[in-house]
Amino acid sequence: MTQYERYLSGLDLDGSKEDKATFSLLELKIDDEHFENFQQELNSLMLKYYNKKINIQNIPTRIVAVTIIPKS
């Protein structure tokens, strides 16, 4: 079972009918230099939250996935 399927099953168990998962697609027309800057900024943002040390056990785990296709 995939993580998304487990998530949807969990909605049923919690009695929630609202799927709060999101999918975003963005086409960027930028040169190589700006594209590299974008990737570095995105990486920094993700690391900022990944490296936060939160020791509260009741906080749920969130899964964020990013796919970058350099040329289309």
Side-chain angles (χ1 to χ4, degrees):
M1 183 182 290
T2 68
Q3 291 172 326
Y4 183 65
E5 288 172 324
R6 279 193 295 273
Y7 164 73
L8 290 177
S9 295
L11 289 179
D12 290 337
L13 295 175
D14 293 342
S16 176
K17 299 297 179 198
E18 186 178 356
D19 179 1
K20 294 183 181 179
T22 61
F23 174 81
S24 299
L25 177 66
L26 174 67
E27 278 190 26
L28 300 175
K29 292 225 176 246
I30 56 177
D31 60 28
D32 289 343
E33 180 182 348
H34 287 100
F35 183 64
E36 288 176 21
N37 289 341
F38 169 77
Q39 286 183 297
Q40 290 172 0
E41 287 179 36
L42 181 60
N43 186 56
S44 294
L45 179 64
M46 293 179 77
L47 287 174
K48 172 185 170 182
Y49 288 94
Y50 178 77
N51 289 327
K52 283 186 182 267
K53 302 297 182 205
I54 300 175
N55 294 323
I56 302 171
Q57 293 181 355
N58 294 5
I59 294 179
T61 299
R62 317 292 183 169
I63 298 173
V64 176
V66 176
T67 301
I68 296 178
I69 303 169
K71 294 183 181 183
S72 60

